[in-house]
């Protein structure tokens, strides 16, 4: 795999991790891989095995195709959730965020 491809994969991993509001440490824990290794994947200095690709796909709720090629990822319509959240207090928003993070960690990926 070419260096540029590794960098692009790392950028997609970083973007998704940040969308989920997770640190590198928490993301690597969820994927059951080493924190240093995950960091290397994000900056494009390491290649990953199929096993690691599958772990990241499941824990990030992304297709393997998207992680590797950048295609096949279309976020769903979040307008209903946004409407509900717009009526929340700051405290309720924080609780909703924490609950959603816990939920996403438990739900198996449909990819």
């Amino acid at each position: 795999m070419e260096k540029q491809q590794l960098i692009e994969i790392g950028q997609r991993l970083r973007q998704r991790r940040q969308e989920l509001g997770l640190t590198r440490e928490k993301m690597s824990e969820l994927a059951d891989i080493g924190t240093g290794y995950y960091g290397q994947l994000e900056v494009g200095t390491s290649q990953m095995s199929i096993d690691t690709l599958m772990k990241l796909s499941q824990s990030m709720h992304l297709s393997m195709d998207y992680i590797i090629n950048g295609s096949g990822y279309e976020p769903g319509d979040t307008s209903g959730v946004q409407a509900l959240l717009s009526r929340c207090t700051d405290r309720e928003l924080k609780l909703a965020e924490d609950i959603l993070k816990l939920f996403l960690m438990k739900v198996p990926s449909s990819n």
Side-chain angles (χ1 to χ4, degrees):
M1 188 170 285
E2 293 183 25
K3 177 69 174 164
Q4 185 58 38
Q5 289 174 301
L6 294 175
I7 291 170
E8 290 169 1
I9 289 169
Q11 289 170 341
R12 286 189 285 276
L13 294 175
R14 182 181 307 111
Q15 179 182 353
R16 181 61 174 159
R17 176 181 59 78
Q18 290 173 340
E19 287 173 2
L20 295 171
L22 300 172
T23 63
R24 281 185 178 178
E25 292 77 18
K26 189 63 176 174
M27 188 70 251
S28 61
E29 179 183 330
L30 290 172
D32 193 29
I33 61 176
T35 303
Y37 176 55
Y38 178 77
Q40 292 172 353
L41 293 173
E42 273 199 6
V43 297
T45 58
S46 285
Q47 294 189 34
M48 69 180 91
S49 66
I50 297 293
D51 185 52
T52 299
L53 175 61
M54 291 172 65
K55 288 178 179 182
L56 288 170
S57 172
Q58 185 173 27
S59 60
M60 294 181 136
H61 302 278
L62 292 174
S63 70
M64 289 184 274
D65 183 42
Y66 177 75
I67 293 172
I68 298 297
N69 299 310
S71 58
Y73 176 62
E74 296 181 23
D77 179 16
T78 60
S79 59
V81 174
Q82 290 175 349
L84 290 170
L85 294 174
S86 69
R87 300 187 307 230
C88 292
T89 65
D90 287 344
R91 180 178 175 273
E92 292 168 334
L93 284 172
K94 178 63 178 144
L95 289 171
E97 179 183 359
D98 292 344
I99 290 168
L100 184 57
K101 285 179 185 177
L102 288 171
F103 174 77
L104 289 174
M105 291 176 203
K106 297 289 184 192
V107 175
S109 176
S110 60
N111 299 322

